[in-house]
Amino acid sequence: MYTTSTAFLEALTEAGISHIFANFGSDHPALLEAIAEARASGRPIPTVMTAPNEMVGMCAAHGFAQVSGKPQLVLVHVECGTQSLAGAVHNAARARVPMLVFAGASPFTQDGELTGSRNEFIHWLQDVHDQRGIVRGYMKYDAEIRTGRNVKQMVHRALQFATSAPKGPTYLMGAREVMEEELAASVTIDPKQWKPVDPGALTAKAIARILDGIDKAERPLLVTSFAGRNPNAVGELVRFCERLGIGVQESAPSALNIPHDHPLYLGNQWNEPHQNKALAEADFVLVVDSDVPWIPTINRPAEGAPIVHIDVDPLKEAMPLWYIGAEESVRADAETALAQLNAALDARAIDAKKVAARTAHYSAQSKARRAALAEKETRSEGLITPEFLTATVRKHIDPEETIVLSEGITNYTVIANHMRMTAPGSYFASGGSSLGWSGGAAIGSKLAAPEKTVVALTGDGSYMFSIPSTVHWMAAKYETPFLQVVYNNRGWKAPRFSALAVHPEGYASKANDLDLSFEPSPAYADIAAAAGGAFARKVDRPEDLDAAVKEALHVVQTEKRCAVLDVWLSPV
């Protein structure tokens, strides 16, 4: 039979979807039949990856898209599976990650009127008023498939939304009877008609305003968080800043935006409670692709410094409260905008003396920063510091052949500072704020770039959120080995810091126990060993760390197994 489900799978293949991260249920008989039929007849369909936990499956799709730029399908079970996607939905939305989520729906007939009619008690329990509404606030597009006659149009439209800037997740659902519908003829459309919408560009006025503002400035500064989500934007950004001597400051970076050894790179800032020196000195600020370029209660540009903002979503339409005081905001793609600015410079006189002075100023700051960081990487007697741990991992990787996933939370800054990644597309954070992304993302990253070594650096709280039993079962089954390093604080450090930031002299500052401890600490590495045969080691002495990292990477690269290092950091 040629059914809606057959056409659905064909549409995915036409769109270039290579993987289905699936958690099947009673709503999917038609899809299971169509998958089996395709395999039996030799017809190509995406590779099905069984994801015993829906959130891990969506995190894998997230990681795959971050590395490759290509959306994948996450398949879940009715409203239960939709809810089990959990915080991965938030992360995909906030990080603007393209993907398609498909969920079945309870049958809408109960007397056998159509194939797929209700025949299990759960079909009444899983019939809810607004299944799509569960995730509507996070999806760029949501719809219901109501007939197989236009299912391909629905799939391609959902993916067109997902891949058009600002990118993001989309959601389709279809009841059993609809997915079972037998079609008289195959559904044929032209996928070329469903390409992503071309990205926005700067106007001539905006180009002139930006370049004129930089010309007048002594200390122009570019602030970004995720321009490097598109690796092609990195080269344009570097070229632009080099030609004009502009310093680059990252704010909560979720991608590598500029090589971290570049002399114009001034570092990254997250929640550190102090004024950023470069931002305070800047007399022109160009913000490119950033949701939070600074936290104004503690860190902001100087009064009167002109701010221009370039972003594919400059209004931050999903955020009820957002403003940065920009005197001009432009809806434009970062790569396109920076390429336009570089092209405009070709026909513009540049004050070489002024550029040299700016470059010398920022290069001196960058050199001093790197020297200060190097001092923190030395080994302390009996203690493993986050800086020493990160530097040790860095020593054993090839930065050109490694993808680093950071979910260190209170060690976000440390990881970004001390991994010192340099290649576009080599460093990612989730881009959102829901924890547990890095395990599934490591699987997706390895699938997207099997030739790379994937290293996931995570806090102990994030590790537990990631459902490591599912992560490491999937990694073993689908041969996606990666190194996972747990920065073990023995508890939640972030809530402690949040409490002390608001109540520095309050009761919480004096309390011995804020109910944030994970002690006695679980055997984190052993969970991975039991679930997926991973190499597992606990490291609590600094003298053992170097050998442990070396052996773990050997296991990942040579034995093709995951390795988990449970590294006990010095007490807070």
Side-chain angles (χ1 to χ4, degrees):
M1 291 193 303
Y2 187 91
T3 66
T4 303
S5 294
T6 311
F8 180 81
L9 293 172
E10 285 183 351
L12 298 178
T13 304
E14 292 168 356
I17 300 293
S18 58
H19 293 82
I20 298 173
F21 298 97
N23 192 297
F24 290 109
S26 63
D27 44 339
H28 299 130
L31 273 169
L32 291 169
E33 176 66 17
I35 290 168
E37 190 273 333
R39 288 171 176 166
S41 62
R43 190 170 59 254
I45 58 171
T47 299
V48 178
M49 314 283 289
T50 300
N53 180 279
E54 292 88 345
M55 178 173 166
V56 176
M58 191 167 187
C59 290
H62 187 141
F64 192 106
Q66 282 180 304
V67 170
S68 69
K70 298 176 181 178
Q72 302 302 304
L73 179 73
V74 182
L75 189 149
V76 299
H77 172 50
V78 296
E79 38 76 62
C80 297
T82 301
Q83 294 184 89
S84 291
L85 292 167
V89 175
H90 158 92
N91 287 337
R94 283 291 184 242
R96 302 170 179 165
V97 175
M99 67 179 71
L100 173 59
V101 178
F102 174 77
S106 276
F108 51 79
T109 60
Q110 71 175 39
D111 290 320
E113 299 95 327
L114 295 169
T115 304
S117 189
R118 296 183 184 186
N119 62 351
E120 301 177 34
F121 77 91
I122 57 172
H123 293 154
W124 282 265
L125 304 182
Q126 293 169 345
D127 187 9
V128 297
H129 288 294
D130 187 9
Q131 180 173 312
R132 289 154 53 193
I134 297 169
V135 293
R136 184 171 294 122
Y138 300 88
M139 296 292 161
K140 282 198 67 184
Y141 168 82
D142 69 272
E144 181 178 358
I145 298 170
R146 294 176 178 172
T147 175
R149 289 168 175 79
N150 67 355
V151 63
K152 286 193 176 182
Q153 290 91 329
M154 298 292 286
V155 169
H156 285 287
R157 176 168 167 77
L159 287 168
Q160 186 179 38
F161 269 99
T163 54
S164 296
K167 300 176 182 179
T170 54
Y171 184 89
L172 289 175
M173 59 177 279
R176 287 212 316 184
E177 295 94 332
V178 173
M179 300 308 292
E180 292 278 4
E181 180 186 359
E182 187 172 357
L183 305 176
S186 61
V187 178
T188 303
I189 67 166
D190 183 2
K192 294 177 183 177
Q193 297 176 357
W194 304 91
K195 290 181 178 179
V197 174
D198 285 341
L202 298 178
T203 62
K205 174 188 170 187
I207 292 172
R209 170 72 185 89
I210 292 166
L211 295 182
D212 288 347
I214 294 172
D215 278 349
K216 297 173 186 175
E218 296 295 322
R219 297 285 179 263
L221 184 70
L222 188 150
V223 179
T224 184
S225 300
F226 46 80
R229 284 178 183 165
N230 173 4
N232 294 330
V234 176
E236 295 289 353
L237 184 151
V238 169
R239 181 168 171 246
F240 177 65
C241 291
E242 286 178 344
R243 295 175 77 180
L244 295 177
I246 303 171
V248 179
Q249 178 72 41
E250 292 180 312
S251 178
S254 56
L256 184 130
N257 303 294
I258 181 173
H260 283 195
D261 59 357
H262 196 282
L264 291 174
Y265 177 57
L266 303 174
N268 58 94
Q269 185 154 344
W270 299 71
N271 290 332
E272 295 86 342
H274 59 75
Q275 173 65 52
N276 182 274
K277 180 181 178 183
L279 189 62
E281 291 179 348
D283 52 1
F284 182 88
V285 181
L286 178 61
V287 178
V288 180
D289 276 2
S290 180
D291 289 336
V292 188
W294 49 78
I295 299 174
T297 54
I298 52 178
N299 173 41
R300 63 193 311 158
E303 191 71 29
I307 300 167
V308 176
H309 179 211
I310 300 172
D311 203 304
V312 292
D313 178 21
L315 291 174
K316 307 300 176 185
E317 295 173 18
M319 298 181 186
L321 176 64
W322 195 92
Y323 51 88
I324 60 171
E327 59 183 49
E328 185 162 359
S329 294
V330 187
R331 189 183 297 274
D333 167 74
E335 179 192 1
T336 303
L338 290 165
Q340 287 180 282
L341 290 168
N342 280 320
L345 287 176
D346 293 339
R348 191 179 179 101
I350 297 175
D351 188 336
K353 193 172 182 180
K354 202 169 190 178
V355 170
R358 293 170 183 159
T359 301
H361 172 79
Y362 285 129
S363 295
Q365 287 192 356
S366 183
K367 183 178 179 180
R369 171 185 171 273
R370 290 194 298 272
L373 290 175
E375 290 182 4
K376 295 182 178 181
E377 294 178 354
T378 56
R379 192 172 99 185
S380 300
E381 187 63 35
L383 297 175
I384 301 177
T385 65
E387 293 83 359
F388 174 63
L389 168 56
T390 309
T392 302
V393 174
R394 182 189 74 230
K395 183 175 73 171
H396 289 282
I397 66 165
D398 179 348
E400 297 295 321
E401 299 300 327
T402 303
I403 296 171
V404 171
L405 307 179
S406 172
E407 198 171 23
I409 315 307
T410 52
N411 287 310
Y412 270 138
T413 307
V414 170
I415 292 169
N417 281 339
H418 296 276
M419 283 307 297
R420 295 206 312 245
M421 302 304 288
T422 57
S426 65
Y427 167 89
F428 296 99
S430 75
S433 65
S434 187
L435 306 187
W437 155 84
S438 59
I443 295 170
S445 298
K446 186 65 175 177
L447 286 170
E451 75 285 0
K452 299 283 189 179
T453 297
V454 177
V455 176
L457 307 177
T458 177
D460 50 336
S462 300
Y463 180 81
M464 289 210 282
F465 274 122
S466 74
I467 309 105
S469 57
T470 292
V471 165
H472 286 282
W473 177 85
M474 288 183 67
K477 178 176 176 64
Y478 297 111
E479 299 179 350
T480 54
F482 62 93
L483 170 61
Q484 191 163 35
V485 180
V486 181
Y487 286 56
N488 191 343
N489 299 310
R490 272 86 74 208
W492 280 315
K493 193 161 72 169
R496 178 185 295 276
F497 284 1
S498 295
L500 296 181
V502 179
H503 303 287
E505 304 297 330
Y507 288 98
S509 69
K510 304 174 181 64
N512 292 323
D513 185 5
L514 292 179
D515 304 301
L516 303 175
S517 172
F518 293 163
E519 293 186 304
S521 183
Y524 294 120
D526 291 354
I527 297 171
F535 170 87
R537 177 162 297 179
K538 172 185 170 183
V539 184
D540 56 7
R541 300 192 308 170
E543 58 268 29
D544 297 334
L545 185 59
D546 191 80
V549 172
K550 184 177 181 181
E551 184 175 4
L553 281 168
H554 174 80
V555 168
V556 171
Q557 295 168 342
T558 304
E559 299 180 19
K560 308 301 182 186
R561 287 192 295 139
C562 281
V564 178
L565 297 179
D566 176 9
V567 182
W568 285 42
L569 300 178
S570 53
V572 178

